[in-house]
Amino acid sequence: MSVDQINTEWALEFFRDSLRTARPPLIPGEVSALFDDNPVREIPTDPESLQYLRNLIKYILDGRTIVFTYNITLLIFIALFALFHLSEIVSERTKWKVLEHDSAVSSESRRKTADDSEDPSEAVSSSSSTLEGSLSSQVTLKADDTDVERLPLLGNRPQKQRKLGNRLIRNLESFLLYQPRPIPVINRTLPSNGTSLFISAYLGLNVFYHLYQLPFESKYFFAFADRAGLIFVVNLPLLYLLAAKNQPLKLLTGRSYEALNIYHRRVGELMCFEALIHFIGMLYWRLFLSPDWLKGDNFYNYITHPLILLGIGAFASYELLYFTSLGSFRARWYELFLASHVVLQIAALAFLWLHFFISQPYVLASLVIFFLDRLVWRVWMKSTNVTADLTVLEDGQTLLLSADWDIPTAKSRRCLKPLQQSIRHGWHPADHVFISVSVLGRSHSLQAHPFTIASAAPWAEPGDSPTHAWLSLLIRVQSGFTSSLLDCARSTPRVAVRLDGPYGSRDPLNMLRSCDSAVLIAGGSGIAVVFPLAWDLVTSHLGKRKVHLLWVTHSRAQRSWIPEGRIAELQKFGVRVTIPEPTIEAGRPDIPGYISDLAVSSEGQVGFVVSGPDGLNRTARNACAGAVRSGANIQLRVEKFGW
């Protein structure tokens, strides 16, 4: 039946009932009164009012047809990114074959070569490594009163003549890589320009879907507010997919959930904004813009109707989710954030399911993603229990959690190999796990806290499988869980721990393997990310590449986080290790100068992996952006940690 053929009275009742019920009326006889049990007011029969009602219904129905294509559009974009990632994999593996032609060399031969080399002190000079006390040629220390942000990124590096097209491409790559300063006053860290542009494109897509074919007239404001609710609903599956620890997006894009977390937060912020527009817009239209013959008797009956109350419940739940997810809240009340995040999102989905029938398929998809990730993967497939040792390190505010076990043999797990995903079967460099310690009490046993695995991944001869795993976690003590764990370590140094993982991506390692030079820069506990990467490059993926490692520490006590013997072994394998004087004694090192020197002196492609606090990450990123602008061939990955 076309809109023009709709019976006048039935059309009015259809519209009224669609505002108030979660189930669309199928036939005119099923329609109930809108605001109360009193007879419906007299319906205007003038052509102008009837045409207005027809147009309003048309705009509402058109909006629902339009937004149904939203997730199809998202799938098309994801498919394009998957194709791009596939081309990256092919390109990287081609470079591996060139760089790692000797990768089949046995571990015994490598270790024999290392053992036949000089002692650790001699290896420092022979491998061009730089330790504290002889840093002038490698890292220039910054005076305490110098603003590192104002230092030139690349000094007086000579500029090469390049074609205009290449120069434009380099400038574009540099711009996308560059990270602006934090927002003043609120001191909010901004992502790189490339990430910001990608997020802007996503927001632009949603603005397009929100405004497409909408009339910009106040009398049709209801359609605008209704469209906001639809935009909120169709983004639900994407929100939960980006939040899942086990997700297909990792396979399709090469980026793990923590790298995609910034997009999860932006999607959540957009949805909360759309929910706010929907909520305020509906109230504003009902109070000021709706024709009198559509309003019903009074506002109280409208606001206390079960459908409206369910909508308010969903709105309040999602807004609370947003505020409890803010960085400042997470940093201060992390345990409360964890607990509220689960409770609020379940409540929000329940309210939304009951609020309006159109949301139900999207709510169901979100619930499937949530329960598959939480229950099937994280609880059943990826969780395991181990007994771990707790050691308080030299600074008194850092814990070393260590455990080891025999890795199940390939024969014993052959039948169930696709289902056995827990850390007992090993991990990759830069992976992380979630830990829970039941001995700390019931509240802590229900919490899971993430920590990067600081030890090298299990290794074996080419063609063989690893037989034993040694796991180490560096845990910086803050308030809450880590503080309780520190107290436990002083009284009970051996505890039962539940490990959920591993999680992460091989993208940083794969990128480094495809580069002629690999540079790993760590700040503080960021060494837990870069050390396993460096170790894997020189043991499992030996090739014709140079490997550099720079570790910036705040105090000398932090040196105990990685045993000196391990650092010496890296040097024997040829890693050029630089450990400047602690920043508390000598100030921050000249990271831009270090990156500039390596970019100038290195041949071929240079891969950088940076892990540290926001200030170090931004300084290194922008130094790489400057080097790219000057002609360097650089790949960069930044691994950010929260504390």
Side-chain angles (χ1 to χ4, degrees), residues 218-281:
S218 60
K219 62 182 180 179
Y220 297 117
F221 189 73
F222 178 89
F224 175 83
D226 180 74
R227 186 78 64 88
L230 294 175
I231 296 296
F232 175 93
V233 166
V234 296
N235 274 290
L236 267 177
L238 178 63
L239 178 74
Y240 283 84
L241 187 62
L242 290 172
K245 303 299 184 291
N246 306 278
Q247 49 174 271
L249 292 181
K250 175 183 174 181
L251 298 176
L252 297 175
T253 66
R255 304 299 190 268
S256 62
Y257 83 92
E258 69 271 17
L260 298 173
N261 186 257
I262 184 174
Y263 304 109
H264 166 70
R265 296 197 300 268
R266 299 296 89 82
V267 171
E269 290 168 358
L270 170 73
M271 290 176 60
C272 287
F273 181 70
E274 293 286 357
L276 183 65
I277 292 178
H278 178 70
F279 177 69
I280 295 179

Coordinates of all heavy atoms in Angstrom, one line a residue, residues 218-281:
S218 N 11.7 22.5 10.7 CA 11.5 22.2 12.2 C 10.3 21.3 12.4 O 10.2 20.5 13.3 CB 11.3 23.5 12.9 OG 10.2 24.2 12.4
K219 N 9.3 21.4 11.5 CA 8.1 20.6 11.7 C 8.4 19.1 11.5 O 7.6 18.2 11.9 CB 6.9 21.0 10.8 CG 7.2 20.9 9.3 CD 6.1 21.5 8.5 CE 6.3 21.3 7.0 NZ 5.2 21.9 6.2
Y220 N 9.5 18.7 10.8 CA 9.9 17.4 10.6 C 11.0 17.0 11.5 O 11.8 16.0 11.2 CB 10.2 17.1 9.2 CG 9.1 17.3 8.2 CD1 9.2 18.3 7.2 CD2 8.0 16.5 8.3 CE1 8.1 18.5 6.3 CE2 6.9 16.7 7.4 CZ 7.0 17.7 6.4 OH 5.9 17.9 5.5
F221 N 11.2 17.7 12.6 CA 12.3 17.4 13.5 C 12.3 16.0 14.1 O 13.3 15.5 14.5 CB 12.4 18.5 14.6 CG 13.6 18.4 15.5 CD1 14.8 18.9 15.0 CD2 13.5 18.0 16.8 CE1 15.9 18.8 15.8 CE2 14.7 17.9 17.6 CZ 15.9 18.4 17.1
F222 N 11.1 15.5 14.2 CA 10.9 14.1 14.8 C 11.7 13.1 13.9 O 12.4 12.2 14.5 CB 9.4 13.7 14.8 CG 9.2 12.3 15.2 CD1 9.0 12.1 16.6 CD2 9.2 11.3 14.4 CE1 8.9 10.8 17.0 CE2 9.0 10.0 14.8 CZ 8.8 9.7 16.1
A223 N 11.7 13.3 12.6 CA 12.5 12.4 11.7 C 14.0 12.5 12.0 O 14.7 11.5 11.9 CB 12.1 12.7 10.3
F224 N 14.4 13.7 12.3 CA 15.9 13.9 12.6 C 16.2 13.2 13.9 O 17.3 12.5 13.9 CB 16.1 15.4 12.7 CG 17.5 15.7 13.2 CD1 18.6 15.7 12.3 CD2 17.8 16.0 14.5 CE1 19.9 16.0 12.7 CE2 19.1 16.3 14.9 CZ 20.1 16.3 14.0
A225 N 15.4 13.3 14.9 CA 15.7 12.6 16.2 C 15.5 11.1 16.1 O 16.3 10.4 16.7 CB 14.7 13.2 17.3
D226 N 14.6 10.7 15.3 CA 14.4 9.2 15.1 C 15.6 8.7 14.3 O 16.1 7.6 14.7 CB 13.1 9.0 14.2 CG 12.9 7.5 14.0 OD1 12.5 6.8 14.9 OD2 13.1 7.1 12.8
R227 N 16.2 9.4 13.3 CA 17.3 8.9 12.6 C 18.5 8.8 13.5 O 19.4 7.9 13.4 CB 17.6 9.9 11.5 CG 18.8 9.4 10.5 CD 18.3 8.3 9.6 NE 17.3 8.8 8.6 CZ 17.6 9.4 7.5 NH1 18.8 9.6 7.1 NH2 16.6 9.8 6.7
A228 N 18.7 9.7 14.5 CA 19.8 9.6 15.5 C 19.7 8.2 16.3 O 20.7 7.6 16.5 CB 19.7 10.7 16.5
G229 N 18.5 7.8 16.6 CA 18.4 6.5 17.3 C 18.7 5.4 16.4 O 19.3 4.4 16.8
L230 N 18.4 5.5 15.1 CA 18.8 4.4 14.2 C 20.3 4.3 14.0 O 20.9 3.2 13.9 CB 18.1 4.7 12.8 CG 16.6 4.6 12.8 CD1 16.0 5.0 11.4 CD2 16.1 3.2 13.2
I231 N 21.0 5.5 13.9 CA 22.4 5.5 13.8 C 23.1 4.8 15.0 O 24.0 4.1 14.9 CB 22.9 6.9 13.6 CG1 22.4 7.5 12.3 CG2 24.5 7.0 13.6 CD1 22.9 6.8 11.0
F232 N 22.5 5.1 16.1 CA 23.0 4.5 17.4 C 22.9 2.9 17.2 O 23.8 2.2 17.5 CB 22.2 5.0 18.6 CG 22.5 4.3 19.9 CD1 23.5 4.8 20.7 CD2 21.9 3.1 20.2 CE1 23.8 4.2 21.9 CE2 22.2 2.5 21.4 CZ 23.2 3.0 22.2
V233 N 21.7 2.5 16.8 CA 21.5 1.0 16.8 C 22.4 0.3 15.8 O 22.9 -0.7 16.1 CB 20.0 0.8 16.5 CG1 19.7 -0.7 16.1 CG2 19.1 1.2 17.7
V234 N 22.5 0.8 14.6 CA 23.3 0.1 13.6 C 24.8 0.1 13.9 O 25.5 -0.7 13.3 CB 23.0 0.7 12.2 CG1 21.6 0.6 11.8 CG2 23.5 2.2 12.1
N235 N 25.2 0.9 14.8 CA 26.7 0.9 15.2 C 26.9 -0.1 16.3 O 28.1 -0.3 16.7 CB 27.1 2.3 15.6 CG 27.6 3.1 14.5 OD1 28.6 2.8 13.8 ND2 26.8 4.1 14.1
L236 N 25.9 -0.7 16.9 CA 26.1 -1.6 18.1 C 27.0 -2.8 17.8 O 28.0 -3.0 18.5 CB 24.7 -2.1 18.5 CG 24.0 -1.4 19.7 CD1 22.7 -2.0 19.9 CD2 24.8 -1.3 20.9
P237 N 26.8 -3.5 16.7 CA 27.7 -4.7 16.4 C 29.1 -4.3 16.3 O 30.0 -4.9 16.8 CB 27.1 -5.3 15.2 CG 25.7 -4.9 15.1 CD 25.7 -3.5 15.7
L238 N 29.4 -3.1 15.6 CA 30.7 -2.6 15.4 C 31.4 -2.3 16.8 O 32.6 -2.6 17.0 CB 30.7 -1.4 14.5 CG 32.1 -0.8 14.3 CD1 33.0 -1.7 13.6 CD2 32.0 0.5 13.5
L239 N 30.6 -1.7 17.7 CA 31.1 -1.3 19.0 C 31.6 -2.6 19.7 O 32.7 -2.6 20.3 CB 30.1 -0.6 19.8 CG 30.4 -0.2 21.2 CD1 31.4 1.0 21.2 CD2 29.2 0.1 22.0
Y240 N 30.8 -3.6 19.7 CA 31.1 -4.8 20.5 C 32.2 -5.7 19.8 O 33.0 -6.3 20.4 CB 29.9 -5.7 20.7 CG 29.0 -5.1 21.8 CD1 28.1 -4.1 21.6 CD2 29.2 -5.6 23.1 CE1 27.3 -3.5 22.6 CE2 28.4 -5.0 24.2 CZ 27.5 -4.0 23.9 OH 26.8 -3.5 24.9
L241 N 32.2 -5.6 18.5 CA 33.3 -6.3 17.7 C 34.6 -5.7 18.0 O 35.6 -6.4 18.2 CB 33.0 -6.2 16.2 CG 33.9 -7.1 15.3 CD1 33.8 -8.5 15.6 CD2 33.5 -6.8 13.8
L242 N 34.7 -4.4 18.0 CA 36.0 -3.7 18.3 C 36.5 -3.9 19.8 O 37.7 -3.8 20.1 CB 35.9 -2.2 18.0 CG 35.8 -1.8 16.6 CD1 35.4 -0.3 16.4 CD2 37.0 -2.1 15.8
A243 N 35.5 -4.2 20.7 CA 35.9 -4.4 22.1 C 36.3 -5.8 22.3 O 36.9 -6.1 23.4 CB 34.7 -4.0 23.0
A244 N 35.9 -6.8 21.5 CA 36.2 -8.2 21.7 C 37.7 -8.4 21.6 O 38.4 -7.9 20.8 CB 35.5 -9.0 20.7
K245 N 38.2 -9.2 22.6 CA 39.6 -9.6 22.6 C 39.9 -10.6 21.5 O 41.0 -10.6 20.9 CB 40.0 -10.2 23.9 CG 39.7 -9.3 25.1 CD 40.5 -8.0 25.1 CE 40.2 -7.2 26.3 NZ 38.9 -6.6 26.4
N246 N 38.9 -11.4 21.1 CA 39.1 -12.4 20.0 C 38.2 -12.0 18.9 O 37.0 -12.1 19.0 CB 38.8 -13.8 20.5 CG 39.6 -14.2 21.7 OD1 40.7 -14.6 21.6 ND2 38.9 -14.0 22.9
Q247 N 38.7 -11.5 17.8 CA 37.9 -10.9 16.8 C 38.5 -11.2 15.4 O 39.7 -11.3 15.2 CB 37.8 -9.4 17.0 CG 39.1 -8.7 17.2 CD 39.0 -7.2 17.2 OE1 39.1 -6.6 16.2 NE2 38.9 -6.6 18.4
P248 N 37.6 -11.3 14.4 CA 38.1 -11.6 13.0 C 38.8 -10.4 12.4 O 39.6 -10.6 11.5 CB 36.8 -11.9 12.3 CG 35.7 -11.2 13.1 CD 36.1 -11.3 14.5
L249 N 38.6 -9.2 13.0 CA 39.3 -8.0 12.4 C 40.8 -8.2 12.6 O 41.6 -7.6 11.8 CB 38.9 -6.7 13.2 CG 37.4 -6.3 12.9 CD1 37.1 -5.0 13.7 CD2 37.2 -6.1 11.4
K250 N 41.3 -8.9 13.5 CA 42.7 -9.1 13.7 C 43.3 -9.9 12.4 O 44.3 -9.5 11.9 CB 43.0 -9.9 14.9 CG 44.5 -10.3 15.1 CD 44.7 -11.2 16.3 CE 46.1 -11.7 16.4 NZ 46.3 -12.5 17.6
L251 N 42.5 -10.9 12.0 CA 43.0 -11.6 10.8 C 42.8 -10.8 9.6 O 43.7 -10.9 8.6 CB 42.2 -12.9 10.7 CG 42.3 -13.9 11.8 CD1 41.3 -15.1 11.6 CD2 43.7 -14.4 12.0
L252 N 41.8 -10.0 9.5 CA 41.6 -9.2 8.3 C 42.4 -8.0 8.1 O 42.7 -7.6 7.0 CB 40.1 -8.8 8.2 CG 39.1 -9.9 8.2 CD1 37.7 -9.4 8.3 CD2 39.2 -10.7 6.9
T253 N 42.9 -7.4 9.2 CA 43.6 -6.1 9.2 C 45.0 -6.3 9.7 O 45.9 -5.4 9.5 CB 42.9 -5.0 9.9 OG1 42.9 -5.3 11.3 CG2 41.5 -4.9 9.4
G254 N 45.3 -7.3 10.5 CA 46.6 -7.5 11.1 C 46.8 -6.7 12.4 O 47.9 -6.7 13.0
R255 N 45.7 -6.0 12.8 CA 45.8 -5.2 14.0 C 45.0 -5.9 15.1 O 43.9 -6.3 14.9 CB 45.2 -3.8 13.8 CG 45.9 -3.0 12.7 CD 47.4 -2.8 12.9 NE 48.0 -1.9 12.0 CZ 48.5 -2.2 10.8 NH1 48.5 -3.5 10.5 NH2 49.0 -1.3 10.0
S256 N 45.6 -6.1 16.3 CA 44.9 -6.7 17.4 C 44.0 -5.8 18.1 O 43.9 -4.6 17.8 CB 45.9 -7.3 18.4 OG 46.7 -6.2 19.0
Y257 N 43.2 -6.3 19.1 CA 42.2 -5.4 19.7 C 42.7 -4.2 20.3 O 42.1 -3.1 20.4 CB 41.4 -6.3 20.6 CG 42.0 -6.4 22.0 CD1 41.7 -5.5 23.0 CD2 42.9 -7.4 22.3 CE1 42.3 -5.6 24.3 CE2 43.5 -7.5 23.5 CZ 43.2 -6.6 24.5 OH 43.8 -6.6 25.7
E258 N 43.9 -4.3 20.9 CA 44.4 -3.1 21.7 C 44.8 -2.0 20.7 O 44.7 -0.8 21.0 CB 45.6 -3.5 22.5 CG 46.9 -3.8 21.8 CD 47.0 -5.3 21.6 OE1 45.9 -6.0 21.6 OE2 48.1 -5.8 21.3
A259 N 45.3 -2.3 19.5 CA 45.5 -1.3 18.4 C 44.2 -0.7 17.9 O 44.2 0.4 17.5 CB 46.3 -1.9 17.3
L260 N 43.2 -1.5 17.9 CA 41.9 -1.0 17.5 C 41.0 -0.4 18.6 O 39.9 0.1 18.3 CB 41.1 -2.2 16.9 CG 41.7 -2.9 15.6 CD1 40.9 -4.1 15.3 CD2 41.7 -1.9 14.5
N261 N 41.6 -0.3 19.8 CA 40.8 0.2 20.9 C 40.5 1.6 20.8 O 39.4 2.1 21.2 CB 41.6 0.0 22.2 CG 40.8 0.3 23.4 OD1 41.0 1.4 24.0 ND2 39.8 -0.5 23.8
I262 N 41.3 2.4 20.1 CA 41.0 3.8 19.9 C 39.8 4.0 19.1 O 39.0 4.9 19.3 CB 42.2 4.6 19.3 CG1 41.9 6.1 19.2 CG2 42.6 4.0 17.9 CD1 43.1 6.9 18.7
Y263 N 39.6 3.1 18.1 CA 38.4 3.2 17.3 C 37.1 2.7 18.1 O 36.0 3.3 17.9 CB 38.5 2.3 16.0 CG 39.8 2.7 15.2 CD1 40.9 1.9 15.2 CD2 39.8 3.9 14.5 CE1 42.0 2.2 14.5 CE2 40.9 4.3 13.8 CZ 42.0 3.4 13.8 OH 43.2 3.8 13.1
H264 N 37.3 1.8 18.9 CA 36.2 1.3 19.8 C 35.8 2.5 20.7 O 34.5 2.7 20.8 CB 36.7 0.2 20.7 CG 35.8 -0.1 21.9 ND1 34.6 -0.6 21.7 CD2 36.0 0.1 23.2 CE1 34.0 -0.8 22.9 NE2 34.8 -0.3 23.8
R265 N 36.7 3.3 21.2 CA 36.3 4.5 22.0 C 35.6 5.5 21.2 O 34.6 6.1 21.7 CB 37.6 5.0 22.7 CG 38.2 4.1 23.7 CD 39.1 4.8 24.6 NE 40.2 5.5 23.9 CZ 41.4 5.0 23.7 NH1 41.6 3.7 24.0 NH2 42.3 5.7 23.0
R266 N 36.1 5.8 20.0 CA 35.5 6.8 19.2 C 34.1 6.4 18.7 O 33.1 7.2 18.6 CB 36.3 7.1 17.9 CG 37.7 7.7 18.2 CD 37.7 9.0 18.9 NE 37.6 8.9 20.3 CZ 38.7 8.7 21.1 NH1 39.9 8.6 20.6 NH2 38.6 8.6 22.4
V267 N 33.9 5.1 18.4 CA 32.5 4.6 18.1 C 31.6 4.8 19.3 O 30.5 5.2 19.1 CB 32.6 3.1 17.6 CG1 31.2 2.5 17.5 CG2 33.4 3.0 16.3
G268 N 32.1 4.4 20.5 CA 31.3 4.6 21.7 C 30.9 6.0 21.9 O 29.8 6.3 22.3
E269 N 31.8 6.9 21.7 CA 31.5 8.4 21.9 C 30.5 8.9 20.9 O 29.6 9.6 21.2 CB 32.8 9.2 21.7 CG 33.8 9.0 22.9 CD 35.2 9.5 22.7 OE1 35.4 10.1 21.6 OE2 36.0 9.4 23.6
L270 N 30.6 8.4 19.6 CA 29.6 8.8 18.6 C 28.3 8.3 19.0 O 27.3 9.0 18.9 CB 30.0 8.3 17.2 CG 29.0 8.4 16.2 CD1 28.8 9.9 15.7 CD2 29.3 7.5 15.0
M271 N 28.2 7.0 19.5 CA 26.9 6.5 19.8 C 26.3 7.2 21.0 O 25.1 7.4 21.0 CB 27.1 5.0 20.1 CG 27.4 4.1 18.9 SD 27.7 2.4 19.3 CE 26.2 1.9 20.1
C272 N 27.1 7.6 22.0 CA 26.5 8.3 23.1 C 26.0 9.7 22.7 O 25.0 10.2 23.2 CB 27.6 8.5 24.2 SG 27.9 6.9 25.1
F273 N 26.7 10.3 21.7 CA 26.3 11.6 21.2 C 25.0 11.4 20.4 O 24.0 12.2 20.6 CB 27.3 12.2 20.3 CG 27.0 13.5 19.7 CD1 26.9 14.6 20.5 CD2 26.7 13.6 18.3 CE1 26.6 15.9 19.9 CE2 26.4 14.8 17.8 CZ 26.3 16.0 18.6
E274 N 24.8 10.4 19.6 CA 23.6 10.1 18.9 C 22.5 9.8 19.8 O 21.3 10.2 19.6 CB 23.8 9.0 17.9 CG 24.8 9.2 16.8 CD 24.2 10.2 15.7 OE1 23.0 10.5 15.8 OE2 24.9 10.5 14.7
A275 N 22.8 9.1 20.9 CA 21.7 8.8 21.9 C 21.2 10.1 22.6 O 20.0 10.2 22.9 CB 22.3 7.8 23.0
L276 N 22.2 11.0 22.8 CA 21.8 12.3 23.4 C 20.9 13.1 22.5 O 19.9 13.6 22.9 CB 23.1 13.0 23.8 CG 22.9 14.4 24.5 CD1 22.2 14.2 25.8 CD2 24.2 15.1 24.6
I277 N 21.3 13.1 21.2 CA 20.4 13.8 20.2 C 19.1 13.1 20.1 O 18.0 13.8 20.1 CB 21.1 13.7 18.8 CG1 22.4 14.6 18.8 CG2 20.2 14.2 17.7 CD1 23.2 14.6 17.5
H278 N 19.0 11.8 20.1 CA 17.7 11.1 20.1 C 16.9 11.5 21.3 O 15.7 11.8 21.1 CB 18.0 9.6 20.0 CG 16.8 8.8 20.0 ND1 15.9 8.7 18.9 CD2 16.2 7.9 20.9 CE1 14.9 7.9 19.2 NE2 15.0 7.4 20.4
F279 N 17.5 11.4 22.5 CA 16.7 11.7 23.7 C 16.2 13.1 23.8 O 15.0 13.4 24.0 CB 17.6 11.3 24.9 CG 17.0 11.6 26.2 CD1 15.9 10.9 26.7 CD2 17.4 12.7 27.0 CE1 15.3 11.1 27.9 CE2 16.8 13.0 28.2 CZ 15.8 12.2 28.7
I280 N 17.1 14.1 23.6 CA 16.7 15.5 23.7 C 15.8 15.8 22.5 O 14.8 16.6 22.7 CB 18.0 16.4 23.7 CG1 18.8 16.1 25.0 CG2 17.6 17.8 23.6 CD1 20.0 16.9 25.1
G281 N 16.1 15.3 21.3 CA 15.3 15.6 20.2 C 13.9 15.2 20.3 O 12.9 15.9 19.9

